[in-house]
Each structure stands twice: as structure tokens, then as C-alpha cells.
């Protein structure tokens, strides 16, 4: 897999594509997110879309944010910037449902 990172900040998205490579279509004709399994593509040639979600005391907004990202990405990484409201715990609680692969906490 090649990783394409989508940085999500305040309802905006900035996509960074691998240099020199043209990214394939990420959705099928029905608008569903493609994977190597359903796209018939060799996994070495496939681009994986990963959302990086930086949070700080966003526990009340995080579930809806993660749910809205779920159909758009292959995985989500949450970077908890020393939240005091349990944002990291909320992200972990939604990991399976929302494709959260990792919750990292800033030192």
C-alpha cells in the first residue's frame, strides 16, 4: 500500500499525494471506497487514504467527526494533544466502528 494522508483541521481537508505518482480513483462507480480486494488492484499499486485527526479537548465532537470520515478513508489516526476531557478514550471507543488504527498522545 502507498499511504495518502488527509489532514483534517476545522472541517477542511488537505490531501498530500505521493510524489510522482498519479493516484487512482478512490471510489467505485457506486461511490464506495475502493480497497485492493474490491478493486481488483495489486496492493503494491494501491493508495491507502489515512486521515490524521489532531484533537485537543474535542471529546464532544469526535464521534461525529470520526463517523463522517469513515466512508472517505481506509484508516484514521488520532493525535491527542494532551486533552483533559478524555478525547483519546473516546477515539479508542470508536476505533472498530470508525477505522481508527491508532490513537497517539503528544508528550
Amino acid at each position: 500500500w502507498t499511504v495518502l494522508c488527509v489532514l483534517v483541521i476545522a472541517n477542511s481537508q488537505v490531501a498530500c499525494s505521493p510524489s510522482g505518482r498519479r493516484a487512482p480513483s478512490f471510489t467505485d462507480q457506486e461511490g464506495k471506497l475502493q480497497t485492493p480486494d474490491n478493486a481488483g488492484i495489486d496492493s503494491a499499486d494501491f493508495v491507502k487514504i489515512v486521515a490524521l485527526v489532531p484533537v485537543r479537548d474535542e471529546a464532544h465532537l469526535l464521534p461525529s467527526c470520526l463517523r463522517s470520515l469513515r466512508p472517505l478513508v481506509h484508516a484514521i489516526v488520532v493525535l491527542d494533544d494532551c486533552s483533559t476531557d478524555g478525547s483519546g478514550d473516546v477515539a479508542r471507543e470508536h476505533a472498530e466502528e470508525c477505522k481508527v488504527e491508532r490513537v497517539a498522545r503528544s508528550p
Side-chain angles (χ1 to χ4, degrees), residues 10 30 37 46-47 54 63 66 69-70 87 105-106:
E30 297 174 3
D37 295 332
F46 198 78
V47 175
L66 297 175
L69 280 172
R70 178 182 55 206
S87 292
R105 185 169 169 91
S106 297

Side-chain angles (χ1 to χ4, degrees), residues 48-50 74-78 95-96 98-103:
K48 182 177 182 180
I49 304 171
V50 179
H74 296 104
I76 299 172
V77 174
V78 175
E96 187 174 332
C98 297
K99 303 180 189 174
V100 177
E101 281 192 3
R102 181 172 180 184
V103 179

Side-chain angles (χ1 to χ4, degrees), residues 5-107:
C5 183
V6 178
L7 178 61
V8 179
I9 301 176
N11 297 326
S12 66
Q13 297 181 13
V14 179
C16 307
S17 62
S19 62
R21 291 190 69 179
R22 183 172 174 262
S25 173
F26 298 117
T27 58
D28 63 16
Q29 293 177 354
E30 297 174 3
K32 294 181 182 173
L33 189 66
Q34 290 187 1
T35 65
D37 295 332
N38 70 13
I41 299 172
D42 181 5
S43 63
D45 295 327
F46 198 78
V47 175
K48 182 177 182 180
I49 304 171
V50 179
L52 173 61
V53 183
V55 298
R56 183 170 195 181
D57 296 331
E58 300 291 346
H60 63 292
L61 297 175
L62 199 50
S64 61
C65 175
L66 297 175
R67 285 188 193 108
S68 59
L69 280 172
R70 178 182 55 206
L72 305 174
V73 299
H74 296 104
I76 299 172
V77 174
V78 175
L79 177 58
D80 181 9
D81 188 18
C82 301
S83 295
T84 59
D85 69 346
S87 292
D89 294 332
V90 170
R92 284 182 202 86
E93 290 169 8
H94 290 82
E96 187 174 332
E97 173 193 357
C98 297
K99 303 180 189 174
V100 177
E101 281 192 3
R102 181 172 180 184
V103 179
R105 185 169 169 91
S106 297

